[in-house]
Amino acid sequence: MDAADLDRQAQTLSGCIPPLLVSRLLELGHGEEVEVQAGRGEWFCAREWARLLGDQGRQAQAVDVLAPYVATGWWQAARTQAELLENWGRAEEAIALARPYANTGGLPLEFFARLLARHGRTDEAVTRLSAGIDDWLLATALVDIVEGTGWDEDVAALLAARIPDKHRCDSPWCCRGLDPDNAIGLLATIRERQGRVDEAIALLHTRHITSVNNHDQLADLLARQDRIEQLRAYAATEHIGHAARCLAKALEERGDVEAAIAVYRQADRPGAHDPNSAFELAQLLTRHGRGSEAIEVMRAQADVRNGDDWILHALSDLCLDQGRPEDGLAHLDALATARGGEEDWDLYWIRLPLIAAYDGVDEAIARARSHPEGATSYAAPHIAELLGDAGRTEEAVAVLEQHAPANSDDLAGHLIGLGRVNDAVALLQQRDSETVSPVWTGSLFNDPPF
């Protein structure tokens, strides 16, 4: 066992028993196998077994399980043990364990500082994080932990110093570390919780990048503060569509469903014809019992964006949920006809659940196998899923075994269901010869993978 191998497990989920299958082993009563594999270097088994022991009050045994992993110096193992210690009320031991790792900065320092703050050591946490404020992750943690502590103005001053008068980033990767747009966003967070809402809004209006990670901070703030008309005006100019989604959600929560629907239907709104907006509208309609309208919304998108697989998936799922598989099949058949009757497997398999719902599983399987790519390794999981959902697990295994070790996770899951745990574990632990990547220490901007 070494840190590089553990890091490979965590990053690739290959050559090991992955988290979902560890959970499946435990759910099906194979705890003894998880315990054995925890002692043989299987990180995800060790993590779950230690948690389970802790939940049973067997804390010393849980620590023993993690001890060899922590001894490698691998941060994720130390973090897991520190989290358990804290959950058990042993915060001082958790702090002592995490402290040496915090010197590397990045994620270990963020974890350590938040741990300190949760247990009455906010001053030390602030000192540590302030020194690393140019790291956006640490700056965010700093803003979070000073809430209600009297440190707001000190941190606000640090952030304001990083907001130049002229420069604005034009992409999320413009500046290394804490770019001005991030500093503005964090400063606005402080101003909002101080009750200086107008100042926070004014700050956010100066950002060049308005939406990050599928959210728009200004739109979220306006919704929280019940500034609906301001949010409406902003949604009329925000081109990505996150503000419109936020407005629609706020209106829906108020009970004004028709107004929420109207937000998405406004043809002159920026991004109104974006398929993501259509998908959001379809979900909104479905939540309020208007499944037929939702299907028509996604059908129109599928017509406009002929062959976009995610739109076809969304349309097919809607048809299944609404008990109308024939409608989904009709659209897919029309698409295939327009293409001369040929469909690659990546589009063809979308129809399989629809066929199973309309004509039965056997017909779906027969149609899948008749496809030119139906005997490939990438078609096998789709056929096996049909069989598995029908309770025909042994047949699913037979299909997947023809392509082992491809699709090893799918095959192992079915083998576990049949009680063939040893076969499943042996399959999962096969690994290709690969170059082991350097172990990531958690520093965000100086070390791999960034």
Side-chain angles (χ1 to χ4, degrees):
M1 187 189 306
D2 59 46
D5 180 64
L6 295 172
D7 213 52
R8 180 198 57 75
Q9 288 187 42
Q11 289 187 44
T12 69
L13 304 184
S14 65
C16 66
I17 307 174
L20 286 176
L21 293 184
V22 174
S23 297
R24 184 159 174 77
L25 285 167
L26 291 172
E27 288 167 6
L28 295 179
H30 300 293
E32 288 184 3
E33 184 65 28
V34 173
E35 180 181 13
V36 168
Q37 295 301 326
R40 294 179 177 174
E42 285 283 350
W43 164 243
F44 298 112
C45 287
R47 186 180 66 180
E48 292 310 308
W49 191 244
R51 288 174 178 171
L52 187 61
L53 290 172
D55 291 343
Q56 295 172 350
R58 298 157 67 184
Q59 297 175 6
Q61 291 171 266
V63 170
D64 287 343
V65 168
L66 293 177
Y69 296 86
V70 174
T72 66
W74 189 49
W75 162 240
Q76 289 299 325
R79 173 174 180 152
T80 297
Q81 182 164 318
E83 289 171 340
L84 290 176
L85 289 168
E86 183 187 17
N87 290 339
W88 300 336
R90 296 160 62 176
E92 291 304 316
E93 293 177 65
I95 290 170
L97 177 61
R99 184 178 295 278
Y101 295 88
N103 294 330
T104 65
L107 290 168
L109 177 54
E110 183 219 14
F111 173 86
F112 181 63
R114 291 183 184 274
L115 177 62
L116 287 172
R118 286 196 296 270
H119 296 282
R121 299 191 184 184
T122 302
D123 289 357
E124 182 184 351
V126 169
T127 299
R128 290 262 197 161
L129 292 174
S130 296
I133 196 171
D134 285 327
D135 181 330
W136 67 267
L137 180 73
L138 302 183
T140 301
L142 179 60
V143 169
D144 289 344
I145 69 170
V146 300
E147 182 175 4
T149 66
W151 281 93
D152 269 351
E153 279 307 318
D154 299 272
V155 175
L158 290 174
L159 293 168
R162 283 155 177 81
I163 305 174
D165 293 332
K166 296 182 180 179
H167 173 70
R168 290 290 181 268
C169 290
D170 59 3
S171 80
W173 304 275
C174 176
C175 294
R176 293 170 64 86
L178 184 67
D179 65 65
D181 271 8
N182 281 336
I184 290 169
L186 292 171
L187 180 56
T189 296
I190 292 175
R191 295 308 182 214
E192 181 188 4
R193 72 190 185 206
Q194 289 177 322
R196 297 157 66 173
V197 177
D198 289 333
E199 189 175 342
I201 292 170
L203 276 166
L204 291 173
H205 273 297
T206 69
R207 296 178 76 180
H208 185 277
I209 304 166
T210 59
S211 296
V212 178
N213 294 333
N214 209 32
H215 283 281
D216 186 297
Q217 185 178 353
L218 175 56
D220 290 343
L221 184 154
L222 293 170
R224 275 194 305 273
Q225 298 296 329
D226 204 28
R227 305 275 186 105
I228 297 299
E229 292 311 309
Q230 286 177 268
L231 178 54
R232 194 186 303 276
Y234 179 47
T237 62
E238 191 267 309
H239 290 274
I240 297 178
H242 294 164
R245 182 179 64 191
C246 191
L247 173 61
K249 180 181 177 183
L251 292 169
E252 183 185 10
E253 289 174 349
R254 285 178 160 202
D256 196 346
V257 176
E258 292 302 324
I261 292 171
V263 169
Y264 288 120
R265 292 197 188 276
Q266 290 171 0
D268 59 346
R269 176 179 58 79
H273 302 290
D274 177 71
N276 293 303
S277 290
F279 180 69
E280 295 286 347
L281 172 57
Q283 288 189 312
L284 172 61
L285 290 166
T286 302
R287 284 195 296 272
H288 295 279
R290 296 163 67 169
S292 295
E293 291 176 70
I295 289 174
E296 290 309 311
V297 167
M298 292 312 300
R299 195 200 309 272
Q301 286 296 314
D303 287 337
V304 171
R305 292 169 174 81
N306 193 8
D308 278 11
D309 59 349
W310 80 266
I311 294 174
L312 293 174
H313 275 292
L315 173 60
S316 298
D317 288 345
L318 270 173
C319 290
L320 275 176
D321 291 342
Q322 296 301 313
R324 293 167 54 181
E326 66 278 10
D327 291 344
L329 285 169
H331 188 91
L332 291 170
D333 288 342
L335 176 62
T337 300
R339 294 185 170 192
E342 295 183 2
E343 272 184 320
D344 291 337
W345 182 261
D346 59 352
L347 288 181
Y348 186 83
W349 77 266
I350 298 172
R351 70 180 62 241
L352 298 181
L354 297 167
I355 297 171
Y358 191 63
D359 290 316
V361 172
D362 287 328
E363 176 64 19
I365 293 169
R367 296 270 294 275
R369 286 175 168 157
S370 69
H371 188 275
E373 298 169 81
T376 60
S377 62
Y378 49 84
H382 301 123
I383 297 173
E385 184 176 4
L386 292 171
L387 290 164
D389 290 345
R392 295 156 63 175
T393 307
E394 291 185 355
E395 292 178 69
V397 166
V399 168
L400 292 168
E401 281 183 329
Q402 296 175 39
H403 304 282
N407 310 311
S408 59
D409 284 11
D410 293 316
L411 176 53
H414 288 301
L415 289 171
I416 291 169
L418 291 174
R420 293 171 56 184
V421 173
N422 291 338
D423 291 339
V425 170
L427 176 68
L428 291 168
Q429 290 177 339
Q430 292 178 21
R431 67 180 66 165
D432 297 329
S433 58
E434 73 252 15
T435 301
V436 178
S437 300
V439 177
W440 181 32
T441 64
S443 178
L444 288 180
F445 299 108
N446 297 319
D447 297 336
F450 299 98

